[in-house]
Amino acid sequence: KAGVTQTPRYLIKTRGQQVTLSCSPISGHRSVSWYQQTPGQGLQFLFEYFSETQRNKGNFPGRFSGRQFSNSRSEMNVSTLELGDSALYLCASSLFGTDTQYFGPGTRLTVL
Amino acid sequence: KQEVTQIPAALSVPEGENLVLNCSFTDSAIYNLQWFRQDPGKGLTSLLLIQSSQREQTSGRLNASLDKSSGRSTLYIAASQPGDSATYLCAIQGGSEKLVFGKGTKLTVNP
């Protein structure tokens, strides 16, 4: 069974631009969560989707948004990029959200 | 608000040694606790998941325990190998389905 895939793997953007990251969960998984990882803050929860509905949202500004499609694939969007948005963005999928989380390899975003 | 602490932040051991990584959390109302490993620049690999009703889980050379009453979990690694070198992360899942992570323990196993 294929694992969680994330595209692109690396991105370089400049301040003020926007970016869209994509996550394809393991086949059959309906829950997709997004996390931001930085050296200073560690791993922080962004949001979680289950069957196209956002169930939970972390403490991030409204510039961070996401959605989930009917095939469970998910995208997250960051508008008006800031230098502090540079991070590794990780996506995780699971069957129900309260079971084992399987993480993708991440998207490394660099904001210049 | 759930807080997760992992001590030590870094650990260096010789190959073959048995070792214990520690994780503590502040809120005992949890669904489960998961241990992950992360290699540099990579995503997270799930190692073990312990449900809140369980006391421990084992997988190969790994054994994880959970004591909700004291807010502690340990990950025991037997007969460590250089390939075990990685950052080990403990994460708590509570009522909101999100994972709350500790900052991790960076393990180095020296040949």
Side-chain angles (χ1 to χ4, degrees):
Chain A
K1 198 182 250 189
V4 178
T5 58
Q6 293 187 244
T7 57
R9 293 292 313 280
Y10 302 92
L11 266 178
I12 300 176
K13 293 285 187 180
T14 57
R15 280 181 298 174
Q17 288 187 307
Q18 76 166 23
V19 67
T20 299
L21 313 181
S22 180
C23 171
S24 292
I26 291 172
S27 178
H29 285 191
R30 297 164 63 188
S31 170
V32 174
S33 300
W34 289 88
Y35 293 83
Q36 181 197 65
Q37 186 176 31
T38 58
Q41 298 297 317
L43 277 148
Q44 293 185 286
F45 172 77
L46 281 157
F47 22 66
E48 189 243 353
Y49 288 88
F50 185 85
S51 294
E52 300 180 69
T53 300
Q54 186 182 88
R55 286 204 296 199
N56 290 291
K57 190 177 193 305
N59 190 26
F60 279 81
R63 300 183 297 106
F64 291 82
S65 63
R67 59 178 175 169
Q68 187 180 33
F69 301 96
S70 59
N71 61 359
S72 293
R73 190 177 70 85
S74 178
E75 289 182 347
M76 67 164 281
N77 183 276
V78 188
S79 62
T80 319
L81 284 165
E82 300 177 359
L83 295 178
D85 297 333
S86 294
L88 180 65
Y89 289 87
L90 292 162
C91 160
S93 80
S94 68
L95 282 169
F96 309 112
T98 55
D99 51 317
T100 300
Q101 305 281 312
Y102 296 90
F103 281 78
T107 294
R108 172 74 63 185
L109 172 65
T110 302
V111 182
L112 302 175
Chain B
K1 180 189 169 189
Q2 180 73 268
E3 292 183 2
V4 181
T5 303
Q6 292 185 249
I7 295 173
L11 181 64
S12 181
V13 301
E15 182 177 3
E17 191 162 297
N18 301 326
L19 59 101
V20 174
L21 306 181
N22 296 295
C23 171
S24 62
F25 49 95
T26 55
D27 186 349
S28 62
I30 67 173
Y31 274 151
N32 60 53
L33 181 147
Q34 298 182 51
W35 282 94
F36 297 89
R37 71 172 275 170
Q38 185 174 32
D39 294 284
K42 301 288 181 63
L44 277 62
T45 301
S46 178
L47 297 173
L48 290 165
L49 178 148
I50 310 178
Q51 300 286 357
S52 63
S53 58
Q54 298 174 318
R55 296 284 298 199
E56 65 178 322
Q57 282 287 341
T58 298
S59 176
R61 294 182 294 109
L62 305 179
N63 176 277
S65 69
L66 173 63
D67 184 344
K68 282 201 313 177
S69 62
S70 66
R72 294 181 185 276
S73 175
T74 61
L75 178 67
Y76 174 83
I77 302 177
S80 58
Q81 303 169 358
D84 295 331
S85 298
T87 296
Y88 290 79
L89 294 152
C90 164
I92 299 290
Q93 190 163 39
S96 65
E97 285 85 44
K98 70 177 184 180
L99 291 173
V100 178
F101 285 87
K103 292 291 180 68
T105 294
K106 184 176 181 180
L107 173 65
T108 302
V109 181
N110 301 301

